[in-house]
Amino acid sequence: MAAVEGLFTLDADEPHLVGGRARSRGSYFFPKALAGSDPACLGDEIDEVLLSRTGRLWSFTTGEYAPPAPYVIPGEEFEPYVIAAVRLEEENLVVLGQVVSGVSVDELSVGMEMELAIDVLYSDDEHDYLVWKWAPAGRRENGEA
Amino acid sequence: MDDIAILGVGMHPWGKWGRNFVEYGVKAARDALTDAEVGWDEVQFVSGANSVRCGYPGYVSGSTFANALGFTGCQLSSSYAACASGATALSIARAQILAGVCDVALVVGAETTPKGFFAPNAGERHEDPDWLRFHLVGATNPTYFALYARRRMELYGDTPEDFAAVKVKNSRHGVFNPNARYTKEYDVDDIANSPMVADPLRLLEICATSDGGAALVVSSLEWAASRGVTDPVRVSGISTVSPTYPNSVIELPYLASDSWAAVGDETMTFKDNIAGRAYEEASVSPEDLDFAEVYDLSSAYELDWYEHIGLCERGDAAKLLRAGDTALGGRIPVNPSGGLGAFGEAVPAQAIAQVCELVWQLRGEAGHRQVEGAKVGLSINHGMFGHGSSVICTI
């Protein structure tokens, strides 16, 4: 199940982030619930849209130390992870996400093509809690999804 | 915009003292009153900068500090604007003074911080971006600082050695600051040997969370003159502007940037907007600055500010650094106080502490960290959720 409902689709082959688009202005937002900040959208209808599932790497970093709650450490021990910020070209929107496991920062460079994947964020006895992650284009098989 | 006078400044040293934040604020306030030669019973307005980490008293800081100093029936205000809280509290005091509502005001902020990363408030909130970024991405504050640092490397050719050099410079300044938390002089090897936190940033390059308190006593120029103070340090400009849509940079604590699909372009960023209003109010330009206090949340972040406050063109900040222009003794010293690298961050006190440094520099009272002949100084910071601030002081 999704770790938080309504932010992305669970289609394992072609997952999408679910965003908002101002009907007459054309600005995009992610998440839709945080639509705002464009003064021309005041009073505009915000439609729910599926955002592009590929984009160009805008920047990237690592998380070498365990973050505080509400981050849930998956597994027994904290493992460092990679975070990417990816620019969706049609939407001109930069979106954060973890990078699928098995990809190191040495393999990343700004401008490279990335695609959306669905992966396990953490698990408990009943469920796997899923989230979107970024993968270098064609490298989704490294994820656990 | 008319100027107001800064009559007195005071600070409680930064550290990890673990005591009640009120104690730090009271110490800073008493020092500022002594420095100003103003009695507590003369203060007509207290403008507090709130802490969100110190319980209910932190949310009503104006009342909390006034109570600790003794209730006199003065007017109160409490402000929260993340890292810009202190400058916001100052802007409210200025507005009260320029509107003639009061003549003399105390501005004060203080905080006690927990160990480790700043974390969101407890609870489960699916529409709070601060909650979402921790839960879904594990994005801490250094995550964002590191994304900006990596951009500099990729776009401008900055190197990890450049970033380390910022920390080295600021540590050399901080050695001379009795209010700084870190007064050790670091070299590049110390930084290279510190643990990686968020690639490419290492532990010594990321702002710590600190305890501290800072205060200002401010008044109208007329009231200052009535006390025989005819040439005070003046607040000549304050900016507390919001971003202008679209901001192409992912800001703390959001999961996404603004979209520039409908309007604008990818060069538009919030940090470019913040100083503009202060320059405009003060009728000064970047060439007029003698020094600046900028919010070095990370070493690399300081370089962003050189460009955003107009010290150089975008992409050229590392050239200024490498040339020694921004070190004490250079053309335009940046963070002569030692900056956040030497202080760590005590959120509601930090923007006020920056103004304290402006005052000591402009009075020529900064000792071994003095910028010779300083007449115009700028402070700037950047907080979460689209809050930021800049203050320009002159003498």
Side-chain angles (χ1 to χ4, degrees):
Chain A
M1 62 184 291
V4 171
E5 299 287 342
L7 300 182
F8 53 98
T9 65
L10 285 171
D11 177 349
D13 290 333
E14 293 209 337
H16 287 268
L17 296 169
V18 178
R21 182 177 184 275
R23 189 171 297 171
S24 51
R25 169 76 153 178
S27 302
Y28 291 90
F29 306 95
F30 179 76
K32 176 175 180 282
L34 296 180
S37 76
D38 183 350
C41 293
L42 195 63
D44 205 350
E45 290 294 322
I46 307 294
D47 296 317
E48 187 170 291
V49 292
L50 299 183
L51 300 177
S52 302
R53 48 176 313 279
T54 61
R56 299 277 172 187
L57 189 57
W58 184 84
S59 193
F60 55 95
T61 183
T62 55
E64 306 278 353
Y65 286 83
Y71 188 72
V72 179
I73 294 168
E76 297 287 307
E77 282 189 26
F78 172 75
E79 294 279 347
Y81 48 86
V82 178
I83 291 177
V86 174
R87 172 187 169 186
L88 310 181
E89 291 191 58
E90 182 188 336
E91 294 87 353
N92 274 333
L93 189 69
V94 180
V95 181
L96 279 184
Q98 283 194 6
V99 174
V100 294
S101 58
V103 176
S104 85
V105 287
D106 299 332
E107 300 171 75
L108 300 177
S109 60
V110 167
M112 70 189 286
E113 190 171 1
M114 304 289 283
E115 68 176 315
L116 203 71
I118 297 296
D119 200 356
V120 177
L121 182 63
Y122 62 95
S123 305
D124 61 19
D125 292 342
E126 294 173 15
H127 298 287
D128 286 338
Y129 295 89
L130 303 175
V131 73
W132 78 90
K133 291 189 183 179
W134 292 111
R139 290 281 304 279
R140 274 195 294 154
E141 67 273 18
N142 284 323
E144 294 167 18
Chain B
M1 185 70 67
D2 290 335
D3 293 351
I4 61 168
I6 301 180
L7 296 177
V9 296
M11 288 172 62
H12 184 288
W14 264 226
K16 208 71 173 179
W17 313 112
R19 299 199 300 271
N20 184 354
F21 77 105
V22 181
E23 186 183 322
Y24 315 142
V26 166
K27 194 273 185 190
R30 293 180 66 144
D31 283 3
L33 290 164
T34 301
D35 185 42
E37 298 182 11
V38 168
W40 164 237
D41 58 351
E42 295 180 286
V43 171
Q44 300 158 356
F45 179 64
V46 173
S47 190
N50 290 351
S51 162
V52 295
R53 272 172 280 274
C54 299
Y56 210 143
Y59 296 105
V60 291
S61 58
S63 165
T64 295
F65 294 124
N67 189 355
L69 290 159
F71 276 150
T72 60
C74 68
Q75 301 211 68
L76 303 176
S77 170
S78 302
S79 306
Y80 189 69
C83 301
S85 299
T88 299
L90 175 61
S91 77
I92 292 169
R94 180 181 69 163
Q96 295 280 93
I97 289 166
L98 294 181
V101 176
C102 72
D103 301 307
V104 58
L106 173 70
V107 180
V108 57
E111 178 155 83
T112 302
T113 51
K115 191 173 185 296
F117 288 120
F118 280 151
N121 292 340
E124 182 166 335
R125 294 179 307 281
H126 292 187
E127 294 183 359
D128 172 358
D130 197 38
W131 188 89
L132 289 172
R133 56 120 171 184
F134 276 99
H135 186 63
L136 295 179
V137 184
T140 62
N141 291 10
T143 298
Y144 294 80
F145 310 154
L147 292 172
Y148 308 153
R150 174 67 62 180
R151 288 285 288 177
R152 294 200 64 83
M153 293 170 66
E154 297 278 344
L155 295 183
Y156 309 136
D158 290 9
T159 65
E161 292 72 30
D162 290 325
F163 303 153
V166 172
K167 173 69 178 191
V168 169
K169 169 184 75 75
N170 288 344
S171 78
R172 287 178 181 155
H173 297 173
V175 165
F176 301 118
N177 196 330
N179 288 309
R181 175 176 171 190
Y182 303 104
T183 53
K184 176 182 182 325
E185 184 175 331
Y186 290 104
D187 62 31
V188 288
D189 289 339
D190 294 326
I191 291 147
N193 291 329
S194 70
M196 190 70 84
V197 173
D199 193 316
L201 297 174
R202 294 180 179 276
L203 186 63
L204 286 176
E205 298 180 279
I206 292 169
C207 168
T209 63
S210 292
D211 296 3
L216 309 168
V217 174
V218 293
S219 78
S220 66
L221 295 177
E222 295 74 20
W223 198 85
S226 76
R227 304 294 286 251
V229 180
T230 54
D231 191 22
V233 172
R234 297 161 177 243
V235 176
S236 298
I238 305 176
S239 170
T240 56
V241 296
S242 82
T244 300
Y245 186 87
N247 179 8
S248 68
V249 171
I250 296 190
E251 300 281 358
L252 275 162
Y254 297 104
L255 291 171
S257 69
D258 288 340
S259 154
W260 61 98
V263 63
D265 60 58
E266 64 182 319
T267 68
M268 294 179 68
T269 77
F270 179 35
K271 290 207 282 288
D272 276 324
N273 298 348
I274 297 170
R277 172 63 184 251
Y279 281 130
E280 188 181 315
E281 285 189 1
S283 299
V284 303
S285 59
E287 301 77 51
D288 299 318
L289 296 183
D290 295 305
F291 67 102
E293 284 285 313
V294 308
Y295 228 52
D296 53 322
L297 291 163
S298 81
S299 53
Y301 211 100
E302 175 169 311
L303 299 176
D304 288 341
W305 286 121
Y306 297 1
E307 297 155 12
H308 294 300
I309 67 175
L311 301 185
C312 61
E313 296 294 318
R314 197 173 288 201
D316 285 348
K319 292 181 190 165
L320 258 66
L321 176 77
R322 293 172 197 150
D325 287 354
T326 56
L328 274 173
R331 183 171 64 80
I332 173 78
V334 175
N335 283 330
S337 71
L340 299 183
F343 275 78
E345 188 182 20
V347 173
Q350 208 69 42
I352 299 172
Q354 288 183 309
V355 175
C356 289
E357 181 68 9
L358 299 189
V359 171
W360 281 315
Q361 290 287 348
L362 295 172
R363 286 178 179 169
E365 295 176 354
H368 291 298
R369 59 179 202 282
Q370 181 65 45
V371 177
E372 290 305 321
K375 300 291 183 199
V376 181
L378 171 146
S379 70
I380 194 160
N381 73 31
H382 177 220
M384 300 214 306
F385 293 100
H387 273 300
S389 70
S390 180
V391 177
I392 291 176
C393 289
T394 59
I395 193 164

Short mmCIF file of all heavy atoms in Angstrom, two decimals, chain B residues 163-204:
data_model
loop_
_atom_site.label_atom_id
_atom_site.label_comp_id
_atom_site.label_asym_id
_atom_site.label_seq_id
_atom_site.Cartn_x
_atom_site.Cartn_y
_atom_site.Cartn_z
N PHE B 163 34.46 24.74 -1.07
CA PHE B 163 33.49 24.77 0.04
C PHE B 163 34.24 24.71 1.37
O PHE B 163 33.91 25.44 2.32
CB PHE B 163 32.50 23.59 -0.08
CG PHE B 163 31.75 23.54 -1.39
CD1 PHE B 163 31.28 22.33 -1.90
CD2 PHE B 163 31.50 24.70 -2.12
CE1 PHE B 163 30.58 22.28 -3.10
CE2 PHE B 163 30.80 24.66 -3.33
CZ PHE B 163 30.35 23.44 -3.82
N ALA B 164 35.26 23.86 1.43
CA ALA B 164 36.04 23.76 2.67
C ALA B 164 36.71 25.10 2.98
O ALA B 164 36.82 25.49 4.16
CB ALA B 164 37.08 22.65 2.54
N ALA B 165 37.12 25.81 1.93
CA ALA B 165 37.81 27.09 2.14
C ALA B 165 36.90 28.13 2.79
O ALA B 165 37.36 29.03 3.51
CB ALA B 165 38.37 27.62 0.83
N VAL B 166 35.60 28.03 2.54
CA VAL B 166 34.65 28.93 3.20
C VAL B 166 34.67 28.69 4.71
O VAL B 166 34.75 29.62 5.52
CB VAL B 166 33.21 28.73 2.66
CG1 VAL B 166 32.21 29.53 3.48
CG2 VAL B 166 33.13 29.10 1.19
N LYS B 167 34.62 27.41 5.08
CA LYS B 167 34.62 27.06 6.50
C LYS B 167 35.94 27.49 7.15
O LYS B 167 35.94 28.01 8.28
CB LYS B 167 34.42 25.55 6.64
CG LYS B 167 34.58 25.03 8.05
CD LYS B 167 33.45 25.48 8.97
CE LYS B 167 33.65 24.87 10.36
NZ LYS B 167 32.48 25.05 11.21
N VAL B 168 37.04 27.30 6.45
CA VAL B 168 38.34 27.71 6.99
C VAL B 168 38.34 29.22 7.24
O VAL B 168 38.74 29.70 8.32
CB VAL B 168 39.48 27.31 6.03
CG1 VAL B 168 40.79 27.95 6.45
CG2 VAL B 168 39.60 25.78 5.97
N LYS B 169 37.88 29.97 6.25
CA LYS B 169 37.82 31.44 6.38
C LYS B 169 36.98 31.84 7.59
O LYS B 169 37.41 32.65 8.43
CB LYS B 169 37.22 32.05 5.11
CG LYS B 169 36.87 33.53 5.24
CD LYS B 169 36.18 34.08 3.99
CE LYS B 169 34.74 33.64 3.84
NZ LYS B 169 33.82 34.34 4.77
N ASN B 170 35.77 31.28 7.67
CA ASN B 170 34.87 31.70 8.76
C ASN B 170 35.40 31.27 10.12
O ASN B 170 35.19 31.97 11.12
CB ASN B 170 33.46 31.17 8.50
CG ASN B 170 32.77 31.91 7.36
OD1 ASN B 170 33.23 33.00 6.97
ND2 ASN B 170 31.72 31.36 6.83
N SER B 171 36.10 30.14 10.16
CA SER B 171 36.67 29.71 11.45
C SER B 171 37.76 30.68 11.90
O SER B 171 37.92 30.94 13.09
CB SER B 171 37.17 28.27 11.37
OG SER B 171 38.41 28.18 10.72
N ARG B 172 38.49 31.22 10.94
CA ARG B 172 39.53 32.21 11.30
C ARG B 172 38.90 33.48 11.85
O ARG B 172 39.47 34.13 12.72
CB ARG B 172 40.38 32.53 10.06
CG ARG B 172 41.32 31.41 9.69
CD ARG B 172 42.11 31.73 8.44
NE ARG B 172 42.99 30.61 8.09
CZ ARG B 172 43.44 30.37 6.87
NH1 ARG B 172 43.11 31.17 5.86
NH2 ARG B 172 44.22 29.33 6.66
N HIS B 173 37.74 33.84 11.32
CA HIS B 173 37.03 35.02 11.85
C HIS B 173 36.48 34.73 13.24
O HIS B 173 36.54 35.56 14.15
CB HIS B 173 35.88 35.42 10.92
CG HIS B 173 36.32 35.84 9.54
ND1 HIS B 173 35.43 36.09 8.53
CD2 HIS B 173 37.55 36.04 9.00
CE1 HIS B 173 36.08 36.45 7.43
NE2 HIS B 173 37.37 36.41 7.70
N GLY B 174 35.92 33.54 13.40
CA GLY B 174 35.24 33.19 14.65
C GLY B 174 36.18 33.12 15.84
O GLY B 174 35.75 33.30 17.00
N VAL B 175 37.44 32.87 15.57
CA VAL B 175 38.45 32.84 16.65
C VAL B 175 38.38 34.11 17.49
O VAL B 175 38.63 34.09 18.69
CB VAL B 175 39.86 32.65 16.03
CG1 VAL B 175 40.95 32.97 17.04
CG2 VAL B 175 40.02 31.23 15.50
N PHE B 176 38.03 35.22 16.84
CA PHE B 176 38.07 36.53 17.50
C PHE B 176 36.72 36.94 18.07
O PHE B 176 36.53 38.10 18.44
CB PHE B 176 38.55 37.60 16.52
CG PHE B 176 39.92 37.32 15.96
CD1 PHE B 176 40.09 37.13 14.60
CD2 PHE B 176 41.02 37.24 16.79
CE1 PHE B 176 41.35 36.87 14.08
CE2 PHE B 176 42.28 36.98 16.29
CZ PHE B 176 42.45 36.79 14.92
N ASN B 177 35.75 36.00 18.08
CA ASN B 177 34.40 36.40 18.52
C ASN B 177 34.05 35.73 19.85
O ASN B 177 33.84 34.52 19.90
CB ASN B 177 33.36 36.03 17.46
CG ASN B 177 32.06 36.75 17.69
OD1 ASN B 177 31.71 37.06 18.84
ND2 ASN B 177 31.34 37.04 16.62
N PRO B 178 33.97 36.50 20.93
CA PRO B 178 33.69 35.90 22.24
C PRO B 178 32.29 35.29 22.35
O PRO B 178 32.04 34.51 23.27
CB PRO B 178 33.84 37.08 23.21
CG PRO B 178 33.63 38.30 22.37
CD PRO B 178 34.14 37.96 21.00
N ASN B 179 31.39 35.61 21.43
CA ASN B 179 30.04 35.04 21.48
C ASN B 179 29.90 33.79 20.62
O ASN B 179 28.84 33.17 20.60
CB ASN B 179 29.01 36.07 21.05
CG ASN B 179 28.83 37.16 22.11
OD1 ASN B 179 28.61 36.84 23.27
ND2 ASN B 179 28.96 38.40 21.70
N ALA B 180 30.95 33.45 19.85
CA ALA B 180 30.86 32.29 18.96
C ALA B 180 30.94 31.00 19.77
O ALA B 180 31.56 30.94 20.83
CB ALA B 180 31.97 32.32 17.92
N ARG B 181 30.30 29.94 19.25
CA ARG B 181 30.35 28.63 19.90
C ARG B 181 31.64 27.90 19.55
O ARG B 181 32.21 27.20 20.37
CB ARG B 181 29.14 27.81 19.45
CG ARG B 181 29.14 26.37 19.96
CD ARG B 181 27.85 25.67 19.55
NE ARG B 181 27.90 24.25 19.83
CZ ARG B 181 27.01 23.37 19.40
NH1 ARG B 181 25.99 23.80 18.66
NH2 ARG B 181 27.12 22.09 19.69
N TYR B 182 32.07 28.03 18.28
CA TYR B 182 33.27 27.33 17.82
C TYR B 182 34.38 28.36 17.57
O TYR B 182 34.25 29.20 16.68
CB TYR B 182 32.99 26.57 16.53
CG TYR B 182 31.86 25.58 16.67
CD1 TYR B 182 30.59 25.85 16.14
CD2 TYR B 182 32.04 24.37 17.34
CE1 TYR B 182 29.56 24.95 16.27
CE2 TYR B 182 31.00 23.47 17.48
CZ TYR B 182 29.76 23.77 16.94
OH TYR B 182 28.73 22.89 17.08
N THR B 183 35.43 28.31 18.34
CA THR B 183 36.50 29.29 18.18
C THR B 183 37.82 28.61 17.83
O THR B 183 38.89 29.15 18.04
CB THR B 183 36.67 30.12 19.47
OG1 THR B 183 36.83 29.23 20.56
CG2 THR B 183 35.47 31.01 19.69
N LYS B 184 37.70 27.39 17.27
CA LYS B 184 38.88 26.68 16.79
C LYS B 184 39.11 27.05 15.33
O LYS B 184 38.16 27.15 14.55
CB LYS B 184 38.65 25.17 16.91
CG LYS B 184 39.76 24.28 16.36
CD LYS B 184 39.34 22.82 16.51
CE LYS B 184 40.34 21.78 16.04
NZ LYS B 184 41.16 22.01 14.93
N GLU B 185 40.37 27.27 14.97
CA GLU B 185 40.68 27.52 13.57
C GLU B 185 40.89 26.19 12.85
O GLU B 185 41.73 25.39 13.25
CB GLU B 185 41.95 28.38 13.46
CG GLU B 185 42.27 28.75 12.03
CD GLU B 185 43.46 29.70 11.93
OE1 GLU B 185 43.70 30.47 12.88
OE2 GLU B 185 44.15 29.63 10.90
N TYR B 186 40.07 25.94 11.83
CA TYR B 186 40.16 24.68 11.08
C TYR B 186 41.00 24.88 9.83
O TYR B 186 41.04 25.98 9.26
CB TYR B 186 38.77 24.21 10.67
CG TYR B 186 37.92 23.74 11.83
CD1 TYR B 186 36.90 24.54 12.35
CD2 TYR B 186 38.14 22.49 12.41
CE1 TYR B 186 36.14 24.10 13.42
CE2 TYR B 186 37.38 22.06 13.48
CZ TYR B 186 36.37 22.86 13.97
OH TYR B 186 35.62 22.43 15.03
N ASP B 187 41.64 23.77 9.39
CA ASP B 187 42.27 23.81 8.07
C ASP B 187 41.54 22.83 7.14
O ASP B 187 40.64 22.09 7.59
CB ASP B 187 43.78 23.52 8.14
CG ASP B 187 44.09 22.14 8.70
OD1 ASP B 187 43.28 21.21 8.48
OD2 ASP B 187 45.15 21.99 9.34
N VAL B 188 41.91 22.83 5.88
CA VAL B 188 41.14 22.04 4.90
C VAL B 188 41.20 20.55 5.22
O VAL B 188 40.26 19.81 4.93
CB VAL B 188 41.63 22.30 3.45
CG1 VAL B 188 41.21 23.68 2.99
CG2 VAL B 188 43.12 22.12 3.32
N ASP B 189 42.29 20.10 5.83
CA ASP B 189 42.38 18.68 6.17
C ASP B 189 41.37 18.29 7.24
O ASP B 189 40.80 17.19 7.21
CB ASP B 189 43.80 18.32 6.65
CG ASP B 189 44.80 18.35 5.51
OD1 ASP B 189 44.35 18.24 4.34
OD2 ASP B 189 46.00 18.52 5.77
N ASP B 190 41.17 19.19 8.23
CA ASP B 190 40.17 18.92 9.26
C ASP B 190 38.81 18.66 8.61
O ASP B 190 38.06 17.77 9.02
CB ASP B 190 40.02 20.12 10.21
CG ASP B 190 41.27 20.38 11.03
OD1 ASP B 190 41.95 19.40 11.37
OD2 ASP B 190 41.56 21.55 11.32
N ILE B 191 38.51 19.48 7.62
CA ILE B 191 37.19 19.37 6.98
C ILE B 191 37.11 18.10 6.13
O ILE B 191 36.14 17.36 6.20
CB ILE B 191 36.92 20.64 6.17
CG1 ILE B 191 36.73 21.79 7.18
CG2 ILE B 191 35.70 20.49 5.27
CD1 ILE B 191 37.20 23.10 6.73
N ALA B 192 38.18 17.84 5.37
CA ALA B 192 38.20 16.64 4.52
C ALA B 192 38.12 15.37 5.36
O ALA B 192 37.63 14.34 4.88
CB ALA B 192 39.46 16.64 3.66
N ASN B 193 38.59 15.44 6.59
CA ASN B 193 38.58 14.25 7.46
C ASN B 193 37.32 14.13 8.30
O ASN B 193 37.16 13.16 9.04
CB ASN B 193 39.80 14.26 8.38
CG ASN B 193 41.09 14.05 7.62
OD1 ASN B 193 41.09 13.36 6.59
ND2 ASN B 193 42.18 14.65 8.07
N SER B 194 36.43 15.12 8.22
CA SER B 194 35.18 15.01 8.98
C SER B 194 34.19 14.15 8.18
O SER B 194 34.28 14.06 6.96
CB SER B 194 34.62 16.39 9.31
OG SER B 194 34.13 17.05 8.17
N PRO B 195 33.25 13.50 8.84
CA PRO B 195 32.38 12.54 8.15
C PRO B 195 31.49 13.21 7.10
O PRO B 195 31.02 14.35 7.29
CB PRO B 195 31.51 11.97 9.28
CG PRO B 195 32.16 12.36 10.54
CD PRO B 195 32.97 13.58 10.28
N MET B 196 31.25 12.49 6.01
CA MET B 196 30.30 12.95 5.01
C MET B 196 28.89 12.86 5.61
O MET B 196 28.53 11.85 6.21
CB MET B 196 30.39 12.06 3.77
CG MET B 196 29.63 12.58 2.57
SD MET B 196 30.39 14.06 1.85
CE MET B 196 31.62 13.31 0.77
N VAL B 197 28.11 13.95 5.45
CA VAL B 197 26.73 13.94 5.94
C VAL B 197 25.76 13.85 4.77
O VAL B 197 24.83 13.05 4.77
CB VAL B 197 26.44 15.20 6.78
CG1 VAL B 197 24.96 15.29 7.15
CG2 VAL B 197 27.31 15.20 8.04
N ALA B 198 25.97 14.73 3.80
CA ALA B 198 25.12 14.78 2.61
C ALA B 198 26.05 15.17 1.46
O ALA B 198 26.40 16.35 1.33
CB ALA B 198 23.98 15.78 2.77
N ASP B 199 26.47 14.21 0.69
CA ASP B 199 27.46 14.40 -0.36
C ASP B 199 27.11 15.62 -1.22
O ASP B 199 26.00 15.66 -1.73
CB ASP B 199 27.50 13.12 -1.21
CG ASP B 199 28.70 13.06 -2.14
OD1 ASP B 199 29.00 14.09 -2.79
OD2 ASP B 199 29.31 11.98 -2.23
N PRO B 200 27.95 16.62 -1.40
CA PRO B 200 29.38 16.68 -1.09
C PRO B 200 29.71 17.37 0.25
O PRO B 200 30.87 17.75 0.44
CB PRO B 200 29.90 17.55 -2.25
CG PRO B 200 28.80 18.54 -2.46
CD PRO B 200 27.51 17.79 -2.19
N LEU B 201 28.74 17.54 1.12
CA LEU B 201 28.98 18.32 2.34
C LEU B 201 29.35 17.41 3.51
O LEU B 201 28.68 16.41 3.77
CB LEU B 201 27.74 19.15 2.70
CG LEU B 201 27.35 20.21 1.67
CD1 LEU B 201 26.03 20.86 2.07
CD2 LEU B 201 28.45 21.25 1.51
N ARG B 202 30.38 17.85 4.24
CA ARG B 202 30.86 17.10 5.40
C ARG B 202 30.41 17.79 6.69
O ARG B 202 29.98 18.94 6.68
CB ARG B 202 32.38 16.97 5.34
CG ARG B 202 32.83 16.12 4.18
CD ARG B 202 34.35 15.97 4.09
NE ARG B 202 34.71 15.11 2.97
CZ ARG B 202 34.73 13.78 3.03
NH1 ARG B 202 34.46 13.15 4.16
NH2 ARG B 202 35.04 13.06 1.96
N LEU B 203 30.56 17.05 7.78
CA LEU B 203 30.01 17.51 9.06
C LEU B 203 30.44 18.93 9.41
O LEU B 203 29.63 19.75 9.85
CB LEU B 203 30.43 16.53 10.17
CG LEU B 203 29.82 16.79 11.55
CD1 LEU B 203 28.30 16.64 11.50
CD2 LEU B 203 30.40 15.82 12.58
N LEU B 204 31.73 19.24 9.21
CA LEU B 204 32.21 20.56 9.62
C LEU B 204 31.72 21.67 8.69
O LEU B 204 31.95 22.84 8.96
CB LEU B 204 33.74 20.57 9.67
CG LEU B 204 34.37 19.83 10.86
CD1 LEU B 204 35.89 19.82 10.74
CD2 LEU B 204 33.95 20.48 12.18
#
